[in-house]
Amino acid sequence: MLKLRVKASREYDIIISRFNGSFPECIFNLKNFKKTAVITDTEVYGRYKNVIDSLSVTNSIYKYVIESGEKSKNGENYLKIINRLAENGFQRHDAVIAFGGGVVGDLAGFVASTYMRGITLISVPTTLLSMVDSSVGGKTAIDLPSGKNLCGTFYQPAAVIIDTAFLDTLPEKEIMNGYGEIIKYALLDKRISVEMLSESADEQLIYNSLCIKRDIVEEDEYESGKRALLNLGHTVGHAVEKLSGYTLSHGECVVKGLKAALDISANLFNLDSGVYNKILSVINSRGHNTSLIYPTEEIVKCIFSDKKSDGDKVRFVALKNIAEPEIVSLKINELNSLLIAKSYN
Ligand code: GLY
């Protein structure tokens, strides 16, 4: 079992082990709460019904099963769930368990952070992406008709329990999705070497990823500075994800965005060609497709039309070298030229 402590506005432990769906009472004692709401989705519930039902050690567990998929991260589901918490008499000392991937985590986190101005949140991520990224750091959100994640809070969980056995049944596509973020960590920090990216995700790789994220979050919980480094690969990645109508997975788009960030780094900072090629060869050998699919102009237009863009400039994370990221401010024409300029391949 590996454990790491996050010292943010709330201190909490992340526990990583192969629990096989059977959590020891010392780390998962729901008797501390009078009532617990488990929020999950149809796919996760279908796969882990036994595990979720076995959490019902008392008769005060309530289950809220949303349809799986990004479309469920909406205001309607949010209101439905908090109304049901109220109808069922949930109080401030009760708890919400986010049992699932990123969508469940974001929605359940937003529910927990706003119901009665905040009740305990326990995260049990079931996808590689949520294990290494979204379950940690306290970002919660729902989508609005005008954009993804436009309504949300920073709200740290009370505990994150990672059962690596969930990875056994995770479709390969979902493993690839999680690797998008792991590759990002390897570019940001040497605690994940490029060589480690060829290995399969295990406790240690998840632990190292989370140590990198934890250190950044502890320094800048509310993203007023350094936390923006975690957006490496996401500027172009989000645009491609949006242009695809969210048919491409987040991780798949992040990998495309990372390739774009490498190209921009090559053109902007002369990122070493050996480093560039080494990273690309690992990305390719993992079977990721780095093609941006859409014309550069369309991607750049999409980036600048984003509600979160900063007027006529966008903050972009580029690399001087591995583990030497730098945030640069780019104008529309600068981003466009850097993306189309020839780099090493
Ligand atoms: N996923 C990026 C962050 O948590 O800041």
Side-chain angles (χ1 to χ4, degrees), residues 37-72:
V38 182
I39 301 178
T40 188
D41 70 28
T42 43
E43 204 176 306
V44 174
Y45 191 56
R47 209 176 291 154
Y48 306 119
K49 186 176 183 306
N50 291 347
V51 178
I52 293 171
D53 290 346
S54 75
L55 297 174
S56 304
V57 284
T58 65
N59 60 3
S60 53
I61 301 259
Y62 297 79
K63 278 175 280 190
Y64 302 94
V65 186
I66 57 167
E67 277 302 316
S68 56
E70 183 71 29
K71 283 203 177 86
S72 285

mmCIF file of all heavy atoms in Angstrom, residues 37-72:
data_model
loop_
_atom_site.group_PDB
_atom_site.id
_atom_site.type_symbol
_atom_site.label_atom_id
_atom_site.label_comp_id
_atom_site.label_asym_id
_atom_site.label_seq_id
_atom_site.Cartn_x
_atom_site.Cartn_y
_atom_site.Cartn_z
ATOM 1 N N ALA A 37 -24.025 9.199 0.591
ATOM 2 C CA ALA A 37 -24.573 9.122 -0.770
ATOM 3 C C ALA A 37 -23.469 8.644 -1.695
ATOM 4 O O ALA A 37 -22.405 9.268 -1.756
ATOM 5 C CB ALA A 37 -25.046 10.500 -1.217
ATOM 6 N N VAL A 38 -23.696 7.541 -2.382
ATOM 7 C CA VAL A 38 -22.720 7.078 -3.370
ATOM 8 C C VAL A 38 -23.203 7.570 -4.728
ATOM 9 O O VAL A 38 -24.300 7.212 -5.171
ATOM 10 C CB VAL A 38 -22.616 5.537 -3.397
ATOM 11 C CG1 VAL A 38 -21.542 5.095 -4.410
ATOM 12 C CG2 VAL A 38 -22.274 4.993 -2.023
ATOM 13 N N ILE A 39 -22.381 8.389 -5.370
ATOM 14 C CA ILE A 39 -22.735 8.860 -6.715
ATOM 15 C C ILE A 39 -21.863 8.088 -7.703
ATOM 16 O O ILE A 39 -20.635 8.037 -7.557
ATOM 17 C CB ILE A 39 -22.533 10.384 -6.841
ATOM 18 C CG1 ILE A 39 -23.405 11.094 -5.793
ATOM 19 C CG2 ILE A 39 -22.878 10.859 -8.250
ATOM 20 C CD1 ILE A 39 -23.263 12.615 -5.760
ATOM 21 N N THR A 40 -22.525 7.451 -8.659
ATOM 22 C CA THR A 40 -21.789 6.661 -9.635
ATOM 23 C C THR A 40 -22.515 6.756 -10.976
ATOM 24 O O THR A 40 -23.479 7.505 -11.110
ATOM 25 C CB THR A 40 -21.641 5.197 -9.132
ATOM 26 O OG1 THR A 40 -20.765 4.492 -10.008
ATOM 27 C CG2 THR A 40 -22.974 4.458 -9.056
ATOM 28 N N ASP A 41 -22.037 6.015 -11.985
ATOM 29 C CA ASP A 41 -22.762 6.034 -13.257
ATOM 30 C C ASP A 41 -23.136 4.624 -13.689
ATOM 31 O O ASP A 41 -22.678 3.646 -13.094
ATOM 32 C CB ASP A 41 -22.001 6.816 -14.342
ATOM 33 C CG ASP A 41 -20.742 6.115 -14.822
ATOM 34 O OD1 ASP A 41 -20.674 4.873 -14.773
ATOM 35 O OD2 ASP A 41 -19.817 6.813 -15.266
ATOM 36 N N THR A 42 -23.970 4.549 -14.715
ATOM 37 C CA THR A 42 -24.534 3.252 -15.113
ATOM 38 C C THR A 42 -23.441 2.242 -15.477
ATOM 39 O O THR A 42 -23.534 1.070 -15.112
ATOM 40 C CB THR A 42 -25.479 3.435 -16.326
ATOM 41 O OG1 THR A 42 -24.854 4.329 -17.259
ATOM 42 C CG2 THR A 42 -26.812 4.019 -15.917
ATOM 43 N N GLU A 43 -22.402 2.725 -16.168
ATOM 44 C CA GLU A 43 -21.353 1.806 -16.588
ATOM 45 C C GLU A 43 -20.570 1.272 -15.392
ATOM 46 O O GLU A 43 -20.328 0.067 -15.268
ATOM 47 C CB GLU A 43 -20.411 2.543 -17.542
ATOM 48 C CG GLU A 43 -19.674 1.614 -18.472
ATOM 49 C CD GLU A 43 -18.833 2.408 -19.455
ATOM 50 O OE1 GLU A 43 -19.388 3.299 -20.129
ATOM 51 O OE2 GLU A 43 -17.628 2.138 -19.523
ATOM 52 N N VAL A 44 -20.191 2.183 -14.494
ATOM 53 C CA VAL A 44 -19.418 1.769 -13.308
ATOM 54 C C VAL A 44 -20.289 0.891 -12.410
ATOM 55 O O VAL A 44 -19.833 -0.140 -11.897
ATOM 56 C CB VAL A 44 -18.908 3.022 -12.537
ATOM 57 C CG1 VAL A 44 -18.227 2.635 -11.235
ATOM 58 C CG2 VAL A 44 -17.940 3.812 -13.411
ATOM 59 N N TYR A 45 -21.546 1.265 -12.263
ATOM 60 C CA TYR A 45 -22.439 0.471 -11.403
ATOM 61 C C TYR A 45 -22.623 -0.931 -11.998
ATOM 62 O O TYR A 45 -22.621 -1.928 -11.277
ATOM 63 C CB TYR A 45 -23.783 1.179 -11.214
ATOM 64 C CG TYR A 45 -24.620 0.535 -10.123
ATOM 65 C CD1 TYR A 45 -24.116 0.383 -8.836
ATOM 66 C CD2 TYR A 45 -25.915 0.061 -10.388
ATOM 67 C CE1 TYR A 45 -24.860 -0.223 -7.836
ATOM 68 C CE2 TYR A 45 -26.666 -0.542 -9.390
ATOM 69 C CZ TYR A 45 -26.128 -0.682 -8.121
ATOM 70 O OH TYR A 45 -26.862 -1.286 -7.125
ATOM 71 N N GLY A 46 -22.732 -0.973 -13.346
ATOM 72 C CA GLY A 46 -22.862 -2.279 -14.006
ATOM 73 C C GLY A 46 -21.641 -3.150 -13.726
ATOM 74 O O GLY A 46 -21.744 -4.349 -13.490
ATOM 75 N N ARG A 47 -20.484 -2.528 -13.719
ATOM 76 C CA ARG A 47 -19.236 -3.282 -13.573
ATOM 77 C C ARG A 47 -18.929 -3.620 -12.108
ATOM 78 O O ARG A 47 -18.413 -4.677 -11.803
ATOM 79 C CB ARG A 47 -18.092 -2.447 -14.157
ATOM 80 C CG ARG A 47 -16.963 -3.291 -14.714
ATOM 81 C CD ARG A 47 -15.894 -2.446 -15.357
ATOM 82 N NE ARG A 47 -16.334 -1.813 -16.585
ATOM 83 C CZ ARG A 47 -15.831 -0.690 -17.083
ATOM 84 N NH1 ARG A 47 -14.880 -0.064 -16.445
ATOM 85 N NH2 ARG A 47 -16.268 -0.195 -18.205
ATOM 86 N N TYR A 48 -19.247 -2.696 -11.219
ATOM 87 C CA TYR A 48 -18.830 -2.888 -9.814
ATOM 88 C C TYR A 48 -20.004 -2.866 -8.833
ATOM 89 O O TYR A 48 -19.856 -2.428 -7.694
ATOM 90 C CB TYR A 48 -17.816 -1.808 -9.407
ATOM 91 C CG TYR A 48 -16.633 -1.736 -10.334
ATOM 92 C CD1 TYR A 48 -16.366 -0.581 -11.051
ATOM 93 C CD2 TYR A 48 -15.800 -2.835 -10.517
ATOM 94 C CE1 TYR A 48 -15.293 -0.516 -11.923
ATOM 95 C CE2 TYR A 48 -14.726 -2.780 -11.385
ATOM 96 C CZ TYR A 48 -14.478 -1.626 -12.089
ATOM 97 O OH TYR A 48 -13.425 -1.555 -12.948
ATOM 98 N N LYS A 49 -21.151 -3.366 -9.306
ATOM 99 C CA LYS A 49 -22.355 -3.378 -8.460
ATOM 100 C C LYS A 49 -22.058 -4.023 -7.095
ATOM 101 O O LYS A 49 -22.426 -3.497 -6.051
ATOM 102 C CB LYS A 49 -23.465 -4.138 -9.202
ATOM 103 C CG LYS A 49 -24.796 -4.115 -8.524
ATOM 104 C CD LYS A 49 -25.843 -4.803 -9.401
ATOM 105 C CE LYS A 49 -27.230 -4.742 -8.793
ATOM 106 N NZ LYS A 49 -27.331 -5.236 -7.443
ATOM 107 N N ASN A 50 -21.349 -5.156 -7.142
ATOM 108 C CA ASN A 50 -21.078 -5.873 -5.883
ATOM 109 C C ASN A 50 -20.269 -5.025 -4.914
ATOM 110 O O ASN A 50 -20.555 -4.996 -3.718
ATOM 111 C CB ASN A 50 -20.287 -7.171 -6.149
ATOM 112 C CG ASN A 50 -21.163 -8.161 -6.876
ATOM 113 O OD1 ASN A 50 -22.377 -7.974 -6.956
ATOM 114 N ND2 ASN A 50 -20.546 -9.205 -7.434
ATOM 115 N N VAL A 51 -19.270 -4.343 -5.474
ATOM 116 C CA VAL A 51 -18.422 -3.512 -4.606
ATOM 117 C C VAL A 51 -19.258 -2.376 -4.013
ATOM 118 O O VAL A 51 -19.220 -2.123 -2.808
ATOM 119 C CB VAL A 51 -17.230 -2.930 -5.408
ATOM 120 C CG1 VAL A 51 -16.391 -2.024 -4.529
ATOM 121 C CG2 VAL A 51 -16.394 -4.033 -6.016
ATOM 122 N N ILE A 52 -20.032 -1.705 -4.885
ATOM 123 C CA ILE A 52 -20.816 -0.555 -4.413
ATOM 124 C C ILE A 52 -21.866 -1.023 -3.403
ATOM 125 O O ILE A 52 -22.035 -0.421 -2.342
ATOM 126 C CB ILE A 52 -21.452 0.199 -5.606
ATOM 127 C CG1 ILE A 52 -20.335 0.852 -6.436
ATOM 128 C CG2 ILE A 52 -22.458 1.247 -5.131
ATOM 129 C CD1 ILE A 52 -20.760 1.441 -7.754
ATOM 130 N N ASP A 53 -22.533 -2.135 -3.711
ATOM 131 C CA ASP A 53 -23.552 -2.618 -2.779
ATOM 132 C C ASP A 53 -22.935 -3.082 -1.457
ATOM 133 O O ASP A 53 -23.562 -2.980 -0.411
ATOM 134 C CB ASP A 53 -24.379 -3.739 -3.424
ATOM 135 C CG ASP A 53 -25.278 -3.175 -4.529
ATOM 136 O OD1 ASP A 53 -25.427 -1.923 -4.580
ATOM 137 O OD2 ASP A 53 -25.816 -3.952 -5.332
ATOM 138 N N SER A 54 -21.682 -3.562 -1.531
ATOM 139 C CA SER A 54 -21.062 -4.029 -0.281
ATOM 140 C C SER A 54 -20.683 -2.869 0.636
ATOM 141 O O SER A 54 -20.353 -3.064 1.797
ATOM 142 C CB SER A 54 -19.832 -4.894 -0.570
ATOM 143 O OG SER A 54 -18.772 -4.052 -0.964
ATOM 144 N N LEU A 55 -20.730 -1.631 0.102
ATOM 145 C CA LEU A 55 -20.469 -0.472 0.971
ATOM 146 C C LEU A 55 -21.636 -0.249 1.926
ATOM 147 O O LEU A 55 -21.531 0.480 2.903
ATOM 148 C CB LEU A 55 -20.270 0.798 0.139
ATOM 149 C CG LEU A 55 -19.079 0.841 -0.819
ATOM 150 C CD1 LEU A 55 -19.129 2.104 -1.657
ATOM 151 C CD2 LEU A 55 -17.767 0.780 -0.050
ATOM 152 N N SER A 56 -22.767 -0.885 1.605
ATOM 153 C CA SER A 56 -23.976 -0.674 2.409
ATOM 154 C C SER A 56 -23.896 -1.429 3.737
ATOM 155 O O SER A 56 -24.650 -2.336 4.001
ATOM 156 C CB SER A 56 -25.211 -1.136 1.633
ATOM 157 O OG SER A 56 -25.263 -0.467 0.421
ATOM 158 N N VAL A 57 -22.918 -1.019 4.542
ATOM 159 C CA VAL A 57 -22.776 -1.670 5.845
ATOM 160 C C VAL A 57 -23.901 -1.257 6.797
ATOM 161 O O VAL A 57 -24.186 -1.928 7.764
ATOM 162 C CB VAL A 57 -21.405 -1.350 6.494
ATOM 163 C CG1 VAL A 57 -20.300 -2.130 5.849
ATOM 164 C CG2 VAL A 57 -21.120 0.138 6.445
ATOM 165 N N THR A 58 -24.512 -0.126 6.500
ATOM 166 C CA THR A 58 -25.668 0.285 7.302
ATOM 167 C C THR A 58 -26.793 0.545 6.312
ATOM 168 O O THR A 58 -26.578 0.518 5.102
ATOM 169 C CB THR A 58 -25.375 1.600 8.062
ATOM 170 O OG1 THR A 58 -25.211 2.614 7.080
ATOM 171 C CG2 THR A 58 -24.141 1.476 8.930
ATOM 172 N N ASN A 59 -27.989 0.823 6.799
ATOM 173 C CA ASN A 59 -29.074 1.084 5.844
ATOM 174 C C ASN A 59 -29.150 2.557 5.448
ATOM 175 O O ASN A 59 -30.122 3.014 4.923
ATOM 176 C CB ASN A 59 -30.419 0.583 6.390
ATOM 177 C CG ASN A 59 -30.749 1.280 7.684
ATOM 178 O OD1 ASN A 59 -30.013 2.159 8.117
ATOM 179 N ND2 ASN A 59 -31.859 0.875 8.295
ATOM 180 N N SER A 60 -28.078 3.293 5.749
ATOM 181 C CA SER A 60 -28.140 4.719 5.459
ATOM 182 C C SER A 60 -27.305 5.114 4.249
ATOM 183 O O SER A 60 -26.799 6.211 4.150
ATOM 184 C CB SER A 60 -27.696 5.513 6.685
ATOM 185 O OG SER A 60 -26.439 5.039 7.096
ATOM 186 N N ILE A 61 -27.109 4.157 3.315
ATOM 187 C CA ILE A 61 -26.380 4.476 2.084
ATOM 188 C C ILE A 61 -27.412 4.723 0.984
ATOM 189 O O ILE A 61 -28.318 3.919 0.783
ATOM 190 C CB ILE A 61 -25.474 3.302 1.671
ATOM 191 C CG1 ILE A 61 -24.463 2.981 2.766
ATOM 192 C CG2 ILE A 61 -24.789 3.581 0.344
ATOM 193 C CD1 ILE A 61 -23.076 3.487 2.568
ATOM 194 N N TYR A 62 -27.253 5.835 0.313
ATOM 195 C CA TYR A 62 -28.157 6.165 -0.784
ATOM 196 C C TYR A 62 -27.356 6.145 -2.072
ATOM 197 O O TYR A 62 -26.229 6.632 -2.094
ATOM 198 C CB TYR A 62 -28.751 7.565 -0.569
ATOM 199 C CG TYR A 62 -29.588 7.652 0.686
ATOM 200 C CD1 TYR A 62 -28.982 7.780 1.929
ATOM 201 C CD2 TYR A 62 -30.976 7.602 0.627
ATOM 202 C CE1 TYR A 62 -29.743 7.853 3.086
ATOM 203 C CE2 TYR A 62 -31.744 7.678 1.784
ATOM 204 C CZ TYR A 62 -31.112 7.796 3.007
ATOM 205 O OH TYR A 62 -31.866 7.865 4.153
ATOM 206 N N LYS A 63 -27.942 5.554 -3.122
ATOM 207 C CA LYS A 63 -27.202 5.471 -4.388
ATOM 208 C C LYS A 63 -27.817 6.415 -5.424
ATOM 209 O O LYS A 63 -29.037 6.468 -5.552
ATOM 210 C CB LYS A 63 -27.257 4.038 -4.934
ATOM 211 C CG LYS A 63 -26.234 3.119 -4.305
ATOM 212 C CD LYS A 63 -26.403 1.706 -4.778
ATOM 213 C CE LYS A 63 -27.519 1.044 -4.043
ATOM 214 N NZ LYS A 63 -27.678 -0.371 -4.205
ATOM 215 N N TYR A 64 -26.969 7.116 -6.126
ATOM 216 C CA TYR A 64 -27.428 7.986 -7.207
ATOM 217 C C TYR A 64 -26.661 7.583 -8.452
ATOM 218 O O TYR A 64 -25.447 7.823 -8.535
ATOM 219 C CB TYR A 64 -27.171 9.458 -6.854
ATOM 220 C CG TYR A 64 -27.863 9.856 -5.570
ATOM 221 C CD1 TYR A 64 -27.189 9.799 -4.366
ATOM 222 C CD2 TYR A 64 -29.201 10.244 -5.565
ATOM 223 C CE1 TYR A 64 -27.818 10.128 -3.175
ATOM 224 C CE2 TYR A 64 -29.843 10.574 -4.387
ATOM 225 C CZ TYR A 64 -29.146 10.514 -3.193
ATOM 226 O OH TYR A 64 -29.775 10.833 -2.024
ATOM 227 N N VAL A 65 -27.347 6.922 -9.366
ATOM 228 C CA VAL A 65 -26.663 6.396 -10.549
ATOM 229 C C VAL A 65 -27.043 7.255 -11.759
ATOM 230 O O VAL A 65 -28.189 7.251 -12.198
ATOM 231 C CB VAL A 65 -27.047 4.914 -10.800
ATOM 232 C CG1 VAL A 65 -26.217 4.336 -11.952
ATOM 233 C CG2 VAL A 65 -26.851 4.075 -9.537
ATOM 234 N N ILE A 66 -26.060 7.996 -12.266
ATOM 235 C CA ILE A 66 -26.326 8.841 -13.444
ATOM 236 C C ILE A 66 -25.960 8.057 -14.704
ATOM 237 O O ILE A 66 -25.220 7.075 -14.626
ATOM 238 C CB ILE A 66 -25.522 10.165 -13.380
ATOM 239 C CG1 ILE A 66 -24.005 9.883 -13.248
ATOM 240 C CG2 ILE A 66 -25.994 11.041 -12.234
ATOM 241 C CD1 ILE A 66 -23.108 11.077 -13.482
ATOM 242 N N GLU A 67 -26.475 8.487 -15.850
ATOM 243 C CA GLU A 67 -26.066 7.889 -17.137
ATOM 244 C C GLU A 67 -24.582 8.138 -17.321
ATOM 245 O O GLU A 67 -24.110 9.240 -17.026
ATOM 246 C CB GLU A 67 -26.800 8.577 -18.292
ATOM 247 C CG GLU A 67 -28.186 8.079 -18.591
ATOM 248 C CD GLU A 67 -28.231 6.603 -18.926
ATOM 249 O OE1 GLU A 67 -27.382 6.132 -19.702
ATOM 250 O OE2 GLU A 67 -29.133 5.929 -18.382
ATOM 251 N N SER A 68 -23.843 7.147 -17.829
ATOM 252 C CA SER A 68 -22.420 7.419 -18.020
ATOM 253 C C SER A 68 -22.225 8.346 -19.219
ATOM 254 O O SER A 68 -23.025 8.354 -20.151
ATOM 255 C CB SER A 68 -21.630 6.124 -18.181
ATOM 256 O OG SER A 68 -22.163 5.391 -19.232
ATOM 257 N N GLY A 69 -21.185 9.158 -19.151
ATOM 258 C CA GLY A 69 -20.886 10.086 -20.253
ATOM 259 C C GLY A 69 -20.932 11.542 -19.811
ATOM 260 O O GLY A 69 -21.635 11.900 -18.863
ATOM 261 N N GLU A 70 -20.162 12.355 -20.541
ATOM 262 C CA GLU A 70 -19.996 13.778 -20.217
ATOM 263 C C GLU A 70 -21.337 14.525 -20.130
ATOM 264 O O GLU A 70 -21.495 15.451 -19.341
ATOM 265 C CB GLU A 70 -19.072 14.412 -21.279
ATOM 266 C CG GLU A 70 -18.719 15.861 -21.082
ATOM 267 C CD GLU A 70 -17.760 16.128 -19.918
ATOM 268 O OE1 GLU A 70 -16.945 15.253 -19.594
ATOM 269 O OE2 GLU A 70 -17.857 17.222 -19.338
ATOM 270 N N LYS A 71 -22.326 14.072 -20.952
ATOM 271 C CA LYS A 71 -23.610 14.803 -21.002
ATOM 272 C C LYS A 71 -24.299 14.841 -19.639
ATOM 273 O O LYS A 71 -25.134 15.691 -19.368
ATOM 274 C CB LYS A 71 -24.540 14.136 -22.025
ATOM 275 C CG LYS A 71 -24.197 14.459 -23.453
ATOM 276 C CD LYS A 71 -25.422 14.262 -24.375
ATOM 277 C CE LYS A 71 -25.102 14.641 -25.791
ATOM 278 N NZ LYS A 71 -24.506 13.538 -26.548
ATOM 279 N N SER A 72 -23.928 13.892 -18.763
ATOM 280 C CA SER A 72 -24.575 13.832 -17.442
ATOM 281 C C SER A 72 -24.061 14.875 -16.465
ATOM 282 O O SER A 72 -24.635 15.064 -15.394
ATOM 283 C CB SER A 72 -24.338 12.454 -16.813
ATOM 284 O OG SER A 72 -25.157 11.520 -17.441
#
